[in-house]
Amino acid sequence: MIGNKMRDAINKQINNELYSAYLYLAMSAEAEIKGYKGTAQWFRVQFQEEMEHALKFKKYLLEQGAEVQLEAIAKPKIGFKSLLAMFEATLEHERFITDCIGKLMDLAVKEKDYATQILLQWYVTEQVEEEANDSEIIGMLKMAGSSTGALLMLDKQLGKRGAKG
Ligand code: OFO
């Protein structure tokens, strides 16, 4: 059984994860409509991963006998002038999520909630990977600059990210 504060904080994080999924789904659609099919695929996979993050928290709450409270999901902010701007916004969003996970961990430590600390360790590791992936892509996009050929090659490479499930 977990405390009410921890339960509420995890429920809030479920909403953050669902917003992340929604944001990446919107980015995927925007990339596709602009002709970047590979990028669209990359964000589709990202969307699926975020859904999994939300489901993992939901499963945990239910295992702990705690109530799952789903709230409205905000409208994602899209409309990017370039792929670089899209990935910079992605990294910024992931940094926000990393901060949220850190705050959840702070609370779990304060509450001496060891089970939640173990769950959160997975998310801590995941955030390191997500930020690193985004930074790597941003680096490549900066190298590509405004070269259409380089951007299309990179787009093709991003499209190799396999869809899950
Ligand atoms: Fe993009 O990461 Fe979820 O937590």
Side-chain angles (χ1 to χ4, degrees):
M1 191 67 194
I2 61 171
N4 289 349
K5 258 194 195 167
M6 199 73 244
R7 176 204 62 199
D8 292 348
I10 292 176
N11 269 309
K12 195 161 180 283
Q13 189 58 24
I14 290 177
N15 191 273
N16 286 334
E17 300 292 347
L18 290 173
Y19 175 77
S20 303
Y22 214 31
L23 174 66
Y24 297 144
L25 184 65
M27 284 177 170
S28 173
E30 182 171 324
E32 183 138 2
I33 214 146
K34 287 180 173 166
Y36 294 111
K37 288 204 169 318
T39 306
Q41 164 69 7
W42 193 93
F43 277 108
R44 245 189 328 270
V45 176
Q46 195 58 34
F47 155 76
Q48 288 170 334
E49 284 201 0
E50 298 301 345
M51 291 300 290
E52 284 171 19
H53 297 171
L55 290 172
K56 197 176 174 80
F57 275 126
K58 184 212 75 167
K59 181 171 181 273
Y60 177 71
L61 283 182
L62 293 175
E63 278 169 356
Q64 291 280 9
E67 194 186 340
V68 173
Q69 296 151 339
L70 297 179
E71 302 291 340
I73 304 166
K75 183 177 176 176
K77 290 185 196 103
I78 52 160
F80 299 98
K81 62 177 185 347
S82 63
L83 286 186
L84 178 59
M86 192 179 272
F87 277 96
E88 280 174 341
T90 300
L91 179 58
E92 195 186 318
H93 180 68
E94 287 306 326
R95 284 181 174 153
F96 162 73
I97 295 291
T98 299
D99 191 53
C100 293
I101 299 292
K103 286 185 175 124
L104 281 173
M105 187 63 104
D106 287 345
L107 181 62
V109 169
K110 199 170 146 223
E111 302 248 309
K112 293 188 167 51
D113 180 342
Y114 304 115
T116 303
Q117 286 175 41
I118 290 167
L119 173 83
L120 290 172
Q121 274 169 17
W122 183 87
Y123 288 89
V124 170
T125 309
E126 176 70 10
Q127 285 310 116
V128 173
E129 192 189 311
E130 292 214 5
E131 286 192 29
N133 288 342
D134 296 339
S135 296
E136 192 189 345
I137 295 167
I138 287 170
M140 290 190 288
L141 282 167
K142 281 185 176 163
M143 274 193 269
S146 55
S147 155
T148 311
L151 284 173
L152 288 177
M153 256 173 62
L154 184 52
D155 180 63
K156 201 171 171 192
Q157 198 180 323
L158 291 174
K160 288 184 184 149
R161 190 177 186 190
K164 281 188 182 172

